[in-house]
Amino acid sequence: MIYFDHNATTALDERVLEEMLPFLGQLHGNPSGLYRLARVSRSAIETARERIAQLINAQPEHIIFTSGGTEANNLALKSGLIKSHLMTSEIEHPSILESLPESALKKTLIGVGTDGIISFQEISDAADFDFASFMLANNETGAIQDIKKITQLAKNRAALIHTDAVQALGKISIDFQDLGVDLMSISSHKIYGPKGCGALISKHKSLMTALMTGGGQEQGMRAGTENVAAIVGFGKAAELARLELEERQEHSFKLREYLERQLHGIPAIKIFSEFVPRLPNTAQIGIQGCIGEMLLMQLDQQNIAVSSGSACASNEEASSHVLAAMRIDPELAQSAIRVSLGKNNTLEEIDVFVQKLKQIIAKNR
Ligand SMILES: Cc1ncc(COP(=O)(O)O)c(C=O)c1O
């Protein structure tokens, strides 16, 4: 099978599985316990915290483990940090757009250009916001936002800034300190770690109210017995992502260049956000005269997995809210498929994909 949907999820790395297995077996201690078996679990969690902190240059004590990126985004928005005016963008993931809290009396949705880049002008025109949430990289187009520039502006207004870095993690270098953000969401299953595990990095834990209350785990920020094996896996995946980041980036970039060079030979094809900073593994492609969902199904029959826009949203949405925000012609938006490459893809797979895609387009047009 040819798997080109790594922005939806990634397969567990075998090295990650190996580190997780003991914690699904003999090492079953509750990390809150005081005896040796429990302390082994506690120490494994702390090692994972340090590995993740190293990947993003954050302080380990700022990391709150959650059940994934969705919970991290919910915690960022609903833990009481927003006092009056929340600013976010039209292209955020549904776990932001569907989670805007009541506490935000005013909510401003910032638009994007046709290139998928958030309008800095609109942000600077909205003077009085106290909390902003902008994604570092978009899950559909891969467009990378200039979060550092936005943060500098937010600091002048004494506002807090959160970034959803779920898609950027492991694909580009991320420096929490240098970005200057207050909060950041990340997720394990996008970097060859297990599903159902993620984290919110927060400099302001003392100002936050937990969503889950109970036994006081994660320094009171997220009660519930920790998912030790998943956290261990997330930590190992983060370590591998740090050590292999450059290699993975170069590999993705080389494959995508090869793919896009061939795609440009097909008439009436558009690559969205092509000329702005973009995740090296992502190509969202509009194919005039076709329907994305149909292409997806026909590629599936050929054992090739791609997505039509965001996988999480594709059951519900007729077409992508991201492409709509970019004011892409609705017909072209409907034709979009997203190819997101991973560390184990090959040039030969790209050749097979392009050959099959050409045949399918010819049949559909
Ligand atoms: C940008 C972005 N944020 C958040 C999420 C949600 O993460 P999770 O699947 O870990 O809940 C996703 C998942 O696709 C995403 O792409």
Side-chain angles (χ1 to χ4, degrees):
M1 180 199 188
I2 298 180
Y3 185 75
F4 281 170
D5 201 14
H6 293 82
N7 286 9
T9 197
T10 56
L12 199 65
D13 189 302
E14 276 176 24
R15 296 165 291 179
V16 170
L17 177 63
E18 210 175 294
E19 291 231 353
M20 289 172 68
L21 281 174
F23 294 92
L24 293 164
Q26 291 158 327
L27 300 181
H28 66 272
N30 186 323
S32 298
L34 297 176
Y35 41 83
R36 198 172 313 144
L37 187 68
R39 291 202 309 270
V40 171
S41 294
R42 166 60 46 211
S43 145
I45 289 178
E46 298 317 318
T47 299
R49 207 185 299 278
E50 274 160 31
R51 285 170 163 176
I52 293 162
Q54 255 193 307
L55 172 61
I56 55 173
N57 190 28
Q59 290 178 21
E61 59 273 23
H62 289 161
I63 294 177
I64 306 161
F65 284 116
T66 64
S67 64
T70 297
E71 187 187 327
N73 281 344
N74 271 262
L75 185 58
L77 296 183
K78 295 176 179 169
S79 55
L81 291 173
I82 305 170
K83 300 299 171 213
S84 59
H85 183 183
L86 163 66
M87 189 190 291
T88 184
S89 85
E90 290 177 351
I91 59 161
E92 300 300 311
H93 189 264
S95 55
I96 291 286
L97 291 174
E98 300 297 323
S99 309
L100 307 183
E102 297 289 310
S103 67
L105 302 174
K106 188 171 165 194
K107 302 172 179 89
T108 304
L109 282 189
I110 300 293
V112 294
T114 50
D115 55 5
I117 296 295
I118 294 170
S119 164
F120 189 71
Q121 190 58 48
E122 275 186 53
I123 301 175
S124 68
D125 288 347
D128 62 337
F129 63 96
D130 66 290
F131 191 104
S133 176
F134 293 113
M135 68 201 326
L136 184 47
N138 185 264
N139 43 307
E140 295 189 29
T141 61
I144 299 171
Q145 309 296 335
D146 191 344
I147 295 296
K148 195 171 172 181
K149 187 170 161 193
I150 297 174
T151 304
Q152 276 156 1
L153 184 109
K155 291 294 160 210
N156 293 338
R157 313 268 161 88
L160 296 183
I161 177 141
H162 164 249
T163 189
D164 174 350
V166 166
Q167 285 297 342
L169 190 74
K171 298 187 185 114
I172 54 172
S173 154
I174 299 181
D175 187 323
F176 179 79
Q177 315 270 7
D178 185 55
L179 284 176
V181 293
D182 298 285
L183 303 119
M184 178 184 281
S185 300
I186 54 176
S187 178
S188 153
H189 73 107
K190 310 287 187 187
I191 63 162
Y192 307 93
K195 295 169 182 53
C197 187
L200 179 69
I201 324 325
S202 172
K203 285 188 194 164
H204 303 286
K205 284 199 310 203
S206 61
L207 303 175
M208 291 167 60
T209 312
L211 299 184
M212 292 289 165
T213 50
Q217 288 88 347
E218 292 297 281
Q219 294 124 62
M221 276 295 103
R222 209 279 186 171
T225 302
E226 297 88 340
N227 187 348
V228 183
I231 291 173
V232 166
F234 189 11
K236 182 64 184 176
E239 182 186 65
L240 294 170
R242 181 173 59 82
L243 296 173
E244 296 173 2
L245 183 65
E246 232 169 276
E247 191 188 319
R248 290 183 193 181
Q249 277 181 317
E250 274 168 26
H251 178 70
S252 285
F253 193 71
K254 186 177 94 185
L255 259 55
R256 192 185 65 185
E257 288 261 290
Y258 185 65
L259 166 69
E260 293 188 350
R261 226 176 304 133
Q262 298 189 59
L263 290 178
H264 281 308
I266 303 174
I269 279 217
K270 180 172 173 61
I271 296 163
F272 300 111
S273 297
E274 185 176 5
F275 303 111
V276 295
R278 196 164 36 121
L279 294 175
N281 78 319
T282 307
Q284 195 180 28
I285 313 152
I287 305 168
Q288 208 102 51
C290 296
I291 295 172
E293 296 273 305
M294 301 286 286
L295 296 176
L296 182 156
M297 279 164 359
Q298 290 167 50
L299 285 165
D300 184 37
Q301 282 167 5
Q302 304 292 329
N303 244 342
I304 300 172
V306 299
S307 141
S308 62
S310 157
C312 321
S314 61
N315 306 335
E316 299 155 24
E317 282 186 333
S319 65
S320 147
H321 73 284
V322 175
L323 296 180
M326 289 162 66
R327 297 179 299 287
I328 302 297
D329 168 67
E331 237 174 78
L332 185 61
Q334 281 270 353
S335 78
I337 57 168
R338 179 189 68 187
V339 172
S340 49
L341 305 166
K343 65 185 176 73
N344 298 325
N345 287 136
T346 62
L347 287 170
E348 290 69 37
E349 288 179 325
I350 303 272
D351 282 337
V352 174
F353 169 72
V354 172
Q355 187 210 349
K356 299 285 181 199
L357 183 67
K358 280 183 177 165
Q359 290 169 357
I360 292 170
I361 294 175
K363 261 198 289 168
N364 282 253
R365 272 183 175 160

